Each structure stands twice: as C-alpha cells, then as structure tokens.
Amino acid sequence: MLNHLWILVALPLAGSMLTLLAGRHWPKKLVNLSSIGFPVLAFISYCELVREFFALPADKIPWIHSYFTWMTAGNFRVDFALQVDQLTIVMLGVVTFVGMLIHIYSAGYMAHEEGYYRFFAEMNLFMFFMTTLVMAANLVLLFVGWEGVGLCSYLLISFFFTKHSAANAGKKAFITTRIGDWGFTVGILMAFWHFKAIDYKTMFAAVTNVPAEGMHHWGVLTSICLLLLAGAVGKSAQLPLYVWLPDAMEGPTPVSALIHAATMVTAGVYMVARMNPLFSRAPAAMLAVAIIGAVTALFAATIGLAQSDIKKVLAYSTISQLGYMFLACGVGAFSAGIFHLMTHAFFKALLFLCAGSVIHAMGGVQDMFQMGGLRKKIPWTYATMLVATLAISGAPLFAGFFSKDQILFDAYAGTNANFLLYALGTAGALLTACYMFRLIFLTFHGKPRFDEHHVHVHESPKVMLAPLVILAILSVIGGWFALPTYWGGKDYFKGFLDPVFGASQELAMKLHPGYSEPPHSLEYQMAAIAVIVAFIGFLIALYLYIIRPSAAKKLANAFRPIYTLLWNKYWVDELYGAVIIGPLIWLSRNVLWKVIDVGLIDGTVNGTAFVSRGVGGGLRRIQGGNTRSYAAWVVIGAVAVTIFFVYMVR
C-alpha cells in the first residue's frame, strides 16, 4: 500500500465520478453500493496502510512517494507527491473512518430527498479532496485539497439550492473562506521565495538551522506564518471569519457532521500543526494563534447559550472547540491540539448525527423550545447524545476530558503558558457544559412542547442508529491513549506524534531556558479544577431548565440587554453588512457598474458605434444614385485637387 498511496486518494474520486455520471439512472440500492462502497474500501486501504506503516524503520518515516512532476517553471517545481507520517495516520483515520460512518448514516437520513445521487457524489468528492489535503507532500498539492473542500462545502451547504437561505449560505461560506485563502496563497508564494521550494521535506530541513525570530522583531518566518494563519482562520471558522459556519447549517445534517464537525473545519488546525517547524520559530505568530483560539472559544460559547435552533447551538459549539485546538497549537502543545481534533471528531460528529435523528423524529422541527420529553420516545438517540454531551463537557474518563484537560494544562503550565489564555479557556469550558446540558434538557426532558397528535415521534432506522452507537463508544474510549499519564505512565498519543512535533518541543525548551517540567501532582489539580468548572456548568443548566424552568425566563428578562446581544450573535453579521458588504455593494453598483462598466466601457463601445452609424448615414445620403449629383461631386473634387496643387506649387 505504501507504494500505491494514490489508491487511497483515488477510491473516493472514483465513487464520486461513477455516481455522478450514472447515478441518475440507478436505483438507490445501486447508488448506495457505489457511493458508500468506495469510502468503505478507502477505510480498508487505510487499515492496510497503517499495518505497513508500523512495519517501517524509523529512518524511512516520513514515507514520501513522488509519482510525476506536475508543474515546472524556472526554479519552481511541483511534484504530485504523497506523504505518510504519524500526523497523516491520525488525520486519515479521522477522515476515512468518520467519513465512512456518516455515509452509512446518510443512506437512511437522505432516503426520501431529491437529488440523492448528487448528494453522495458530492460527499465522495469531498472525501477525495480531504484525503488529498492530508496526504499532500507539498504546499501546492495541499492547496488543491484545501480549495477542493471549499468547493465541496459550497455545493453541499447549498444542496437544497431552491431554498433561498441555503443558496445564500453556500455563497457566504465560499466567499468568506476565500478571504482567508488570499492570505494563504500569498503565504505559499512567500514560502517559495524564501525557501526556493514548497515541499515539506526541503522547507523543514532548510529551517532547522534558522534561529527563532523575536517577539517584537518580525521577520520572513513570522510573515509567512501569519499569512498561512489567515487561511486557517477562514477554513476553521475562527474570529473574525467564523460567520459562515453557523449559516452552513442550512445544508443536510450529515453535511454538518462530515464537513463542519469532523473534517473540513479541522483543516486549518492540521495545516498549522503540519507547519510547526515554521510556527515554532515565529513566537509572534504562535501568540496570534493562541489569542485567536482562546478568544474564539469563549466568544462562540457565549452565543451558544442563547440559541434555540439545535443545529445552531452545535455550530457555535464547533467554532468554540476549534478555538481550543488553536489555543493548543498557539501555546506549543501541537500534540494536544491534534488529540482534541481526533476526540472532537468522534463526539461532535455524534452530536450532529444525533441532532439529525431528533429532527428526523420530529418531522423537521429544529427549535428546541418546540421539543421536550423525547427521552423515552427515542431512547437510543437520547443515550448516544448524552454520551457525546458528557464527552464534550469534559466528564471524567470520556474522550473530551483527556484532550481538553491537556490543552488547559499546557496553557497554564506549558513552555508558552499564559494565565489569561488559560482563564479564557476555563471560562469557555464552563459555558460548554452549560449550553450542552441546556440542549439535552430542552430536547429530551420535561413535558412535550409540541402537539403529540400531529407530530408522531419515532426512533430512527437501524442504518442511522448503528453509526451513533459506534461513535458513542469512541466518544468514551477515544481519549484513553492518555489515560496512563494519570498514574505516571506514558501518554501514548503524544509519544506517537513525537517524531512530528518533538523538534518543536525541544526548540521551545531552548527558548525558555528557565522552564522546568511541572510536578505531576499539578496535573491532578488542574484536572480537578476542569471537572469542577464543568460540573458548575451542568448545575446551572440543571437548575434553569429542570429544577426551576421559570428561572431561565426571569434571568433573561433581568439581563435583557445581554440576552438580546447573545440572541442576535453580537450583531456581527449586521456589522459586517453595514461596514464592509454595504459599502462594497454601493461601490460595485455606483462606481464599478454605472461609471466604469456602463459609462466608460459600454460608453466607449456604444460611442464608437454611434459615430460609425452617423458617418455611415451621412455617406449613405451622398450615394443617392443621381447622375447629375455624381457629376457635380466630380467637378467639386477636381476643383479642390486643382486648388491644392496650385497652392503647393506656390
């Protein structure tokens, strides 16, 4: 498999092309065989890749295979080259396995939707671009996958394209991420200008002996990293380019689970982690990553407290959790960031799929205030969603407990520790538990707040429940790689990724010569604080929505300005509309269109035509067909020529 890495990339592409070209004429069973079968084969290929990878000697890692020269222009050369190392193995596992489960779930969820074959063709195409992004051995090939997932995101978000809001959401996602991608593109060009190459191996070898830049003295590395960060901010929906992701919930729920929870939005985190040799030598860029992550984590969590749409709550939760991953990378805890990326893929995909199961059971209702009392009606969905909620809230021994605890610990006591960033992350953890249990209590507990005679609540079919159960198991055990550290043992996940991030960790130790490893007892204390904070969030939700439901309304009325601010999501969309979008539309309409397009370009073309028509009209009147008129013109012409020559002779 290592010599044929292209197979893993080609399988989902083959599924997409086959389904797109022939799926229109196929029955749904044949569409399922093609569109689900190829992701299953991709996961099987991944398993074989893992087996062969672990048999490789250490000096053969990363394994790089170049298939052909793709582009050459002077010194610029790009190979179609794929790479596998420890980070690739983790990311591919998330993409292929979670992607496969979501495809299986979609067969039940989308069974009665029009465009069934088109949906699966686009989902397969997304997996192709995501595997390309993860396995790329250079920045240009990564950029192909990067832009490809952006295209597929646009197609899938606007899947219900006859719905005005869905079409607008797709365009919003595409345009917003393009803003960040502009910086990303310039960053790639600057990297080539500086390193004379864009493949990882050459770049990372060249930067090995480059000293770290100062916090207040930016150099080329800091500039490159900040430009790359711009792309990551757009793709991973961080401040200030997060606004596209909540609207992306207009797409089908499996799209939310695949693209906006488990894979695409994590591309920015993956890219920052992959570029760790550059970022670790640019402390100003690292600080920017950490600040953006911590502020976004808290900012999005506050908005999630006030939303009523079950998918919107999960959307802001995704933005917040991505903020934790950025915070981890920004404080140099790259392994912790990728660890949270993996565990988040399990429980957030599960949360979205459970939300889809609830919406399916409720006949399309998404407002949590129109639900309630579903616990006994859809017990499998309730049980699995409760597991995911415990995981994301950081309940002990659940996956999110280990990964989020490690991030907060590194923010507090790591080499690049910052107490303010730790405090922001801890506050976000409290709010996470609060808004997630608010979702559970409003949706599943209390009395039904819907007409039970018209809404016939029913459990989802087995094809939808099976992926929920598998993801629930992973949401429990997915973090146990780090479990031995609580008994003084080895963090297996961190140890596995050490060949990728170890050099950056060593550099961080050199840059902070006075730093010493914190005592193991501190980790127990920090874990206890994290659990207490999450438990407080749970108690707040329990009191407001179970013990005394009327207190929530009283609290909202008492703090009406704050509640209104959160309900309206800080009016960020309106602010962007007034400050950026409105002026751009005015400029486009009144200057670019009316002045330049209509006045200058069209005016020049139309003016030329008008003059030509006038001249032609005048000449046409001269050609009247009258012989005496022609004779008169001949005489006039002869006289004029005679006068001219007489004048020239004088």
Side-chain angles (χ1 to χ4, degrees), residues 323-335:
Y324 282 103
M325 300 174 207
F326 271 74
L327 172 60
C329 293
V331 298
F334 295 104
S335 296

Side-chain angles (χ1 to χ4, degrees), residues 627-647:
T627 305
R628 285 184 295 179
S629 175
Y630 291 163
W633 282 111
V634 169
V635 171
I636 292 171
V639 171
V641 170
T642 302
I643 293 173
F644 174 76
F645 279 110
V646 169
Y647 176 80

Side-chain angles (χ1 to χ4, degrees), residues 295-307 316 320 427-428 431-432 435 562-563 565-567 569-570:
V295 174
T296 302
L298 182 60
F299 176 83
T302 60
I303 298 177
L305 287 171
Q307 302 306 302
Y316 283 104
S320 180
L431 297 183
T432 299
Y435 68 68
I562 296 176
Y563 178 79
L565 183 68
L566 299 181
W567 172 260
K569 298 158 285 192
Y570 294 96

Side-chain angles (χ1 to χ4, degrees), residues 406-420:
Q406 187 62 50
I407 292 172
L408 294 177
F409 179 76
D410 284 312
Y412 180 82
T415 50
N416 295 294
N418 185 304
F419 182 78
L420 179 59

Side-chain angles (χ1 to χ4, degrees), residues 146-159 164-182 230-238 240-251 255 259-260 264-265 573 581:
W146 187 277
E147 293 299 301
V149 294
L151 169 64
C152 293
S153 177
Y154 162 74
L155 294 173
L156 287 165
I157 292 169
S158 57
F159 177 77
H164 187 68
S165 58
N168 284 342
K171 290 183 287 186
K172 185 176 183 179
F174 192 79
I175 294 170
T176 305
T177 53
R178 293 292 77 70
I179 295 171
D181 291 352
W182 175 84
V233 165
K235 195 66 73 180
S236 293
Q238 297 293 283
L241 300 178
Y242 73 95
V243 291
W244 66 270
L245 195 144
D247 288 7
M249 299 303 109
E250 289 288 345
V255 172
I259 298 182
H260 306 116
M264 173 188 149
V265 291
D573 282 297
I581 299 173

Side-chain angles (χ1 to χ4, degrees), residues 194-195 203-213 221 277 281 507:
H194 183 66
F195 295 107
M203 289 171 56
F204 297 163
V207 82
T208 301
N209 298 319
V210 175
E213 296 179 351
L221 286 182
R281 289 167 172 79
L507 178 62

Side-chain angles (χ1 to χ4, degrees), residues 436-502:
M436 284 308 306
F437 277 100
R438 171 181 178 265
L439 182 151
I440 288 290
F441 295 146
L442 285 175
T443 303
F444 295 99
H445 291 262
K447 295 181 180 180
R449 294 181 296 276
F450 56 91
D451 189 346
E452 296 185 72
H453 297 291
H454 292 87
V455 180
H456 302 287
V457 180
H458 55 284
E459 187 63 277
S460 299
K462 292 180 180 179
V463 70
M464 293 173 63
L465 292 179
L468 301 188
V469 173
I470 294 172
L471 287 170
I473 294 171
L474 290 172
S475 296
V476 176
I477 67 172
W480 289 4
F481 294 104
L483 188 59
T485 56
Y486 284 84
W487 290 278
K490 182 180 180 182
D491 184 337
Y492 290 109
F493 191 86
K494 185 175 183 296
F496 179 67
L497 290 176
D498 266 347
V500 180
F501 302 129

